[in-house]
C-alpha cells in the first residue's frame, strides 16, 4: 500500500501516555516512506510498525519529531540524509528488521540527540561486539536495546575500537570497510503485495498474528517510556 496524504489524514492521532502527539500508521502494508509532508510536522511521535518498509529515509524535514517506531518492517538500509530530515530525533526503535551490517548504521552517527535505540531482532546484533560498536559509534546513546549503557561498556568499546592515539583500531577499520547496501527508494510493481498463490496463507498468518503484533508494539513502547522515565528521574536526583 502507498503512504498517501489520504491515509495520513485518516489515520489516528492522539496524545500518548507521555503526553506526546502520536500519529499511528502501523499495520498498513506500507512499502515506502513518502508524502509525510502532509503531517505538517505536527507530531512528536510517528508509529510505522508492522509495515513492509525496506529503506529508512525519504522523510521531509520534521523538526518536531522526537520518537520513531519502525518495529517489524523489512528495513535493510538507512538514507545518509536521515539526520538532516529528522534533526531532533531522540528515540528510534528498529526492532525486528533486516539490518545485517554494522556499517549500515553509519548515518545514525549524525543524529546528535539520539538517546534511545533498539536494534533487537536484527541480524546485525548477532555479530561479535555489535553492542559495543554501537556504544562507541553513537556516543549520545544512553539506552540500547532497552538496556542502559554503562560506563564500563563505554570504556571497553573505546579499548576495542580506538588506538592509543584516538584513531580507529584495525577492528574498527575492518568493519567500516564492509560495503553497505545502497539506498534505493524505488520499488517494483507488485512489491509488498500478496501473490495469488500465497494470498490465503498470508491472510491466515496476519489474522493469527495481528493481536501478537499489537501487543509486541505496546510492550516495546512501554519499555522505552519506562527507560525514559528512569533516566529523567536519575537526572532530577543528580
Amino acid at each position: 500500500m502507498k503512504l498517501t496524504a489520504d491515509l495520513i489524514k485518516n489515520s489516528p492521532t492522539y496524545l500518548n501516555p507521555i503526553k506526546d502527539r502520536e500519529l499511528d500508521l502501523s499495520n498498513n502494508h506500507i512499502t515506502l516512506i513518502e508524502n509525510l509532508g502532509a503531517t505538517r510536522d505536527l507530531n512528536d511521535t510517528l508509529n510505522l510498525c508492522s509495515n513492509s518498509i525496506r529503506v529508512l529515509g525519504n522523510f521531509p524535514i520534521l523538526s518536531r519529531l522526537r520518537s520513531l517506531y519502525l518495529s517489524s518492517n523489512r528495513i535493510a538500509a538507512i538514507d545518509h540524509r536521515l539526520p538532516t530530515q529528522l534533526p531532533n530525533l531522540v528515540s528510534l526503535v528498529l526492532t525486528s528488521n533486516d539490518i545485517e551490517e554494522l556499517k549500515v548504521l553509519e548515518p545514525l552517527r549524525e543524529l546528535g540527540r539520539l538517546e534511545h535505540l533498539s536494534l533487537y531482532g536484527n541480524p546485525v546484533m548477532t555479530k561479535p561486539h555489535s553492542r559495543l560498536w554501537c556504544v562507541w559509534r553513537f556516543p549520545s546513546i544512553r539506552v540500547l536495546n532497552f538496556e542502559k549503557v554503562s560506563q564500563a561498556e563505554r570504556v571497553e568499546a573505546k579499548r576495542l575500537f580506538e588506538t592509543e592515539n584516538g584513531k580507529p583500531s584495525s577492528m574498527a577499520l575492518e568493519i567500516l570497510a564492509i560495503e553497505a547496501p545502497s539506498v534505493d527508494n524505488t520499488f517494483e510493481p507488485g512489491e509488498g503485495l500478496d501473490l495469488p498463490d500465497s494470498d490465503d496463507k498470508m491472510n491466515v498468518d496476519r489474522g493469527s498474528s495481528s493481536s501478537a503484533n499489537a501487543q509486541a508494539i505496546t510492550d516495546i513502547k512501554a519499555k522505552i517510556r519506562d527507560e525514559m522515565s528512569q533516566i529523567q528521574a536519575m537526572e532530577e536526583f543528580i
Side-chain angles (χ1 to χ4, degrees), residues 168-230:
S169 67
S170 58
M171 185 185 298
L173 291 174
E174 183 177 343
I175 291 170
L176 291 171
I178 296 173
E179 184 176 353
S182 60
V183 173
D184 183 1
N185 283 333
T186 62
F187 63 95
E188 298 178 2
E191 182 181 34
L193 301 178
D194 298 334
L195 297 176
D197 61 349
S198 62
D199 187 62
D200 292 340
K201 181 180 183 299
M202 292 293 289
N203 287 336
V204 169
D205 290 344
R206 285 171 185 151
S208 63
S209 64
S210 59
S211 60
N213 284 341
Q215 184 59 47
I217 292 168
T218 300
D219 292 345
I220 288 167
K221 291 162 71 173
K223 286 182 179 180
I224 292 173
R225 289 166 188 147
D226 288 345
E227 294 286 356
M228 291 176 70
S229 297
Q230 291 174 19

Side-chain angles (χ1 to χ4, degrees), residues 87-216:
N88 295 309
L89 196 65
V90 175
S91 298
L92 176 59
V93 178
L94 293 169
T95 303
S96 300
N97 276 280
D98 296 333
I99 297 171
E100 296 187 357
E101 300 294 342
L102 291 167
K103 191 174 180 181
V104 172
L105 304 172
E106 281 299 286
L108 304 185
R109 287 197 71 206
E110 303 303 320
L111 289 170
R113 298 182 179 225
L114 188 64
E115 298 180 357
H116 307 90
L117 174 65
S118 174
L119 296 165
Y120 184 81
N122 283 264
V124 70
M125 295 310 294
T126 64
K127 291 185 175 294
H129 309 302
S130 56
R131 179 177 172 88
L132 291 177
W133 173 266
C134 292
V135 170
W136 177 68
R137 207 63 179 158
F138 317 128
S140 65
I141 295 294
R142 296 194 292 171
V143 178
L144 177 61
N145 295 344
F146 310 112
E147 294 182 18
K148 187 176 178 182
V149 175
S150 68
Q151 183 58 30
E153 285 180 310
R154 296 192 189 278
V155 170
E156 178 63 11
K158 187 173 182 179
R159 185 189 69 80
L160 280 175
F161 299 117
E162 280 188 28
T163 66
E164 293 180 356
N165 298 325
K167 304 283 188 179
S169 67
S170 58
M171 185 185 298
L173 291 174
E174 183 177 343
I175 291 170
L176 291 171
I178 296 173
E179 184 176 353
S182 60
V183 173
D184 183 1
N185 283 333
T186 62
F187 63 95
E188 298 178 2
E191 182 181 34
L193 301 178
D194 298 334
L195 297 176
D197 61 349
S198 62
D199 187 62
D200 292 340
K201 181 180 183 299
M202 292 293 289
N203 287 336
V204 169
D205 290 344
R206 285 171 185 151
S208 63
S209 64
S210 59
S211 60
N213 284 341
Q215 184 59 47

Side-chain angles (χ1 to χ4, degrees), residues 60-108:
I61 295 176
L62 300 175
S63 298
R64 178 170 172 175
L65 195 69
R66 300 290 188 275
S67 300
L68 180 58
Y69 303 143
L70 283 153
S71 297
S72 302
N73 275 276
R74 302 167 66 187
I75 293 169
I78 301 175
D79 192 335
H80 71 277
R81 296 166 294 183
L82 187 70
T84 302
Q85 298 163 355
L86 308 178
N88 295 309
L89 196 65
V90 175
S91 298
L92 176 59
V93 178
L94 293 169
T95 303
S96 300
N97 276 280
D98 296 333
I99 297 171
E100 296 187 357
E101 300 294 342
L102 291 167
K103 191 174 180 181
V104 172
L105 304 172
E106 281 299 286
L108 304 185

